[in-house]
Amino acid sequence: MEYAKGRIGRVFTVRVDHGDDLILELIKLAELEKIDSAVFMLLGALREGKLVTGPKENRRPPEPVWAGFNDAHEILGIGNIFQENGKPKIHLHAGTAREKSVKLGCLRGESEVFMVVEVFIFELEGISARRVMDPEQGFSPVNFMHAPDEE
């Protein structure tokens, strides 16, 4: 286990509107506001989306299982923002539902908003971290950059 200690910085309340791409809008905001690291929660609805709902087999790197939808689903999610290769990377796990259809997973790719999604972003200060691709695991986990006197 590795960890870093920091504090909450700026707080953003964001409305993402009907027809917007949720993930792209979060990336644009992170670029505009120069958000290097943050956690966020959201609620609202998506018209379409794709979720990774687990690995096909319990091995690394995993081959993802995909579940998608193209009709309005409610969404409730939590995620984070860290830099990867100098750009904001959104990692969002969400539950979506419509009637008896419930899905839970990592939202990736296009994510068109239905009506509205409200996002509450809490910037993290004092944490030097970024995402770095790990070929063995098949994804980019958060890596902490410690100052020389902390090692």
Side-chain angles (χ1 to χ4, degrees), residues 11 27 57 74 91 99 104 110 120 136 146:
V11 176
I27 290 169
E57 297 178 20
E74 297 294 315
H91 187 194
E99 296 181 8
L104 179 67
E110 293 180 15
F120 308 93
E136 182 181 323
H146 298 284

Side-chain angles (χ1 to χ4, degrees), residues 4-144:
K5 183 170 52 174
R7 62 198 159 280
I8 300 293
R10 299 177 294 173
V11 176
F12 298 87
T13 301
V14 182
R15 187 191 73 233
V16 185
D17 294 316
H18 184 82
D20 288 344
D21 185 302
L22 174 61
I23 292 178
L24 286 179
E25 292 300 315
L26 291 174
I27 290 169
K28 288 192 313 193
L29 177 67
E31 289 174 337
L32 177 68
E33 291 293 336
K34 298 181 180 14
I35 299 171
D36 287 332
S37 57
V39 295
F40 63 87
M41 57 188 145
L42 58 81
L43 58 124
L46 294 180
R47 192 191 75 71
E48 69 173 304
K50 294 178 186 156
L51 298 158
V52 172
T53 60
K56 287 188 178 179
E57 297 178 20
N58 294 334
R59 63 180 186 162
R60 298 184 319 172
E63 184 179 348
V65 174
W66 291 93
F69 57 91
N70 58 7
D71 53 356
H73 276 58
E74 297 294 315
I75 184 173
L76 181 64
I78 186 165
N80 60 44
I81 303 169
F82 288 101
Q83 298 292 306
E84 181 175 15
N85 298 320
K87 296 182 178 183
K89 171 78 173 180
I90 306 299
H91 187 194
L92 169 58
H93 281 233
T96 65
R98 180 182 176 113
E99 296 181 8
K100 294 181 181 179
S101 172
V102 179
K103 297 170 183 64
L104 179 67
C106 184
L107 188 68
R108 296 189 193 166
E110 293 180 15
S111 51
E112 184 182 333
V113 171
F114 178 75
M115 295 180 65
V116 70
V117 171
E118 297 165 339
V119 187
F120 308 93
I121 301 171
F122 302 89
E123 185 177 40
L124 304 174
E125 291 183 345
I127 295 174
S128 182
R130 65 177 181 205
R131 292 196 173 279
V132 177
M133 176 51 82
D134 181 337
E136 182 181 323
Q137 295 190 74
F139 75 105
S140 303
V142 175
N143 281 267
F144 302 98

